[in-house]
Amino acid sequence: MKLQQQQKKPDRELRCPDFWIETSSSIARQYAFDSDGRLSSMLFAAGLRPTPAQATAVSWILKDGMQHMGKLICSNMGARMDSEPKSWRILADVLYDIGTGLEVLSPLCPHLFFEMAGLGNFAKGMAVVAARATRLPIYSSFAKEGNLSDLFAKGEAISALFNIAGMGAGIQLASTVCSSMQGKLIVGPLLSIIHIYSVVEEMRAVPVNTLNPQRTAMIVADFIKTGQISKPVDLRYREDLLFPERLIEDAGSVKVGRALHKVVKKASKLSKLREIFPNEKFLINSESKQTDIVLEHSATGEDALRGWLVAAYAADIQKLGRVPSDGVLSEAYEKMDNVFPSFLSELKVRGWHIDRFVDGTGSRFSW
């Protein structure tokens, strides 16, 4: 009798389950202990049993859902990309490398798989929009006689060629050095550094012939110092791609794009400025550290250049101290008016497009 009870006792012992599933409002995870007693998990779509369909559902959420959200957010910054296409093109590649890195690292953090993979696809979605949006202003600088479509076609061909070469190199690395996670952690950052460095050098070598705040300031500064107009190719290596909004003292330390109500806070001041610039599409207000230029809604690149020259001449006059502060802008305006026709014609000869001024999300006014 005792023997039978001893034989039945093991059947009553509770066995540890092979796995269990924990669910929340959005996801479900399958947990289990491996042979070493460590806890591991696998992500599934919420409300589903562990079937192959779960992988498809989760992949859609991570790859398409989060990526589309990144695209929508980045699309609101299109005006800034027009103003500084080089900086945004570099940022696009940085974001893409970050997204790829998060995808590579996600297996190391299975409990954060959803968060890391989702953020990775979000960053890659923003990168795709930024990269595509900046192609047009960059390609436009190389276009001659309306051959923009041909430039796009050649660019796509070169991109496809290097993608094929990259896929071959990637397959080779995946089967050798990068077959382990340690290899991926070494090779991945190294390739990313080479990639970003190459993109930075590529963007620095591109001459862009549209007027934005930084290039306009450099044109005016060179003209004030030397009397010469720089070509787009002359400014390409001097552009600050990391801090494009920096103020250039030789060009009057001009800040463009602030709202008019923040620049001019008194009605008497506004009336005085309108008297100084009665027929102009800009207003200028000098402060201690910077000079604000506010453009009218219909202002072109020519109007921005006129205002910038006035600000630069005013800064020079103030340094010399020959004119009372009340008459600085008037004298600077008169000086600009005398030199502007020759200045403008030389700009066109040098290859600058002055039909518009791309100031990003800058504020403008209208009467």
Side-chain angles (χ1 to χ4, degrees), residues 174-218:
S175 60
T176 55
V177 181
C178 297
S179 58
S180 63
M181 181 57 69
Q182 291 82 359
K184 293 183 179 71
L185 294 178
I186 295 173
V187 175
L190 180 61
L191 292 177
S192 180
I193 291 172
I194 296 174
H195 173 219
I196 299 302
Y197 174 79
S198 301
V199 172
V200 170
E201 290 301 309
E202 178 188 8
M203 291 299 104
R204 290 183 65 212
V206 174
V208 179
N209 54 14
T210 55
L211 295 177
N212 70 347
Q214 182 177 194
R215 286 188 287 275
T216 303
M218 289 192 291

Side-chain angles (χ1 to χ4, degrees), residues 97-116:
D97 285 359
I98 290 174
T100 304
L102 288 172
E103 289 180 341
V104 171
L105 293 175
S106 59
L108 295 178
C109 307
H111 59 291
L112 297 175
F113 174 79
F114 179 84
E115 291 82 356
M116 294 184 66

Side-chain angles (χ1 to χ4, degrees), residues 11-56:
D11 296 336
R12 297 171 184 169
E13 291 181 356
L14 296 176
R15 293 181 55 192
C16 181
D18 295 331
F19 66 89
W20 69 93
I21 297 175
E22 297 181 8
T23 61
S24 65
S25 58
S26 58
I27 58 174
R29 287 188 174 93
Q30 175 182 300
Y31 289 89
F33 291 102
D34 58 21
S35 58
D36 297 329
R38 292 180 297 183
L39 186 65
S40 61
S41 66
M42 182 179 296
L43 181 68
F44 295 102
L48 298 177
R49 295 291 181 182
T51 65
Q54 297 169 352
T56 304

